[in-house]
Amino acid sequence: MPPDPAELLRQQGYNVTAQRLAVLRAVSGRPHLTAEDLVEVVRADIGVISRRAVYDAVGVLAGMGLLRRIQPAGSAARYEDRVGDNHHHLICRVCGRMVDVACAVGATPCLTAADDAGYEIDEAEVIYWGQCPTCRQAAEGA
């Protein structure tokens, strides 16, 4: 979570609301949650809140760049507060667990477009798919 999320909201011209602050706290404590997951976490934090209010807060915060939206193929969007670096993600095909991984190092031909079509590329989004250690151990023990 940013050092003072309330001040960041004010600087960008947004109202500081309990809902927005609760969403930032929730994502900070548990990155990679879906908006539906966030509804439950925020409700546990501040009590009654509409699903719409959480979705609106997530949209505003992502638009401001305080949250990063990640949407793996076949999955609901997930949110994290680790923004400003070009990190990637590992996702377990079995349980859906997602973890951060540093940007690829060394020769990375897949991160350099063969034809950039005139774009100035400033970020690459990579998702590695596989099985997490827990699911691998469960499969080997079965």
Side-chain angles (χ1 to χ4, degrees):
M1 185 182 318
D4 185 1
E7 184 56 31
L8 288 174
L9 288 166
R10 284 187 202 96
Q11 287 173 359
Q12 302 249 352
Y14 289 92
N15 291 328
V16 177
T17 66
Q19 295 88 342
R20 290 176 183 162
L21 294 175
V23 167
L24 285 171
R25 280 192 304 272
V27 172
S28 177
R30 297 172 69 185
H32 308 131
L33 293 177
T34 66
E36 280 301 310
D37 295 333
L38 284 169
V39 169
E40 299 309 313
V41 174
V42 169
R43 283 181 178 162
D45 181 19
I46 65 171
V48 177
I49 184 172
S50 72
R51 182 172 270 100
R52 177 87 258 146
V54 172
Y55 276 77
D56 288 348
V58 167
V60 167
L61 295 167
M64 291 176 57
L66 293 179
L67 295 183
R68 180 177 177 192
R69 182 179 191 270
I70 308 139
Q71 187 155 13
S75 174
R78 300 179 192 198
Y79 298 90
E80 66 183 355
D81 66 349
R82 184 176 169 187
V83 297
D85 69 342
N86 193 23
H87 72 279
H88 306 302
H89 297 93
L90 296 163
I91 303 175
C92 180
R93 290 185 188 278
V94 178
C95 69
R97 180 172 175 238
M98 178 187 283
V99 297
D100 293 337
V101 64
C103 190
V105 295
T108 55
C110 64
L111 298 182
T112 303
D115 178 5
D116 65 14
Y119 283 67
E120 181 180 321
I121 299 171
D122 61 11
E123 182 178 357
E125 187 170 309
V126 176
I127 296 178
Y128 300 97
W129 294 88
Q131 283 189 358
C132 70
T134 303
C135 291
R136 270 196 358 255
Q137 284 180 336
E140 291 169 2

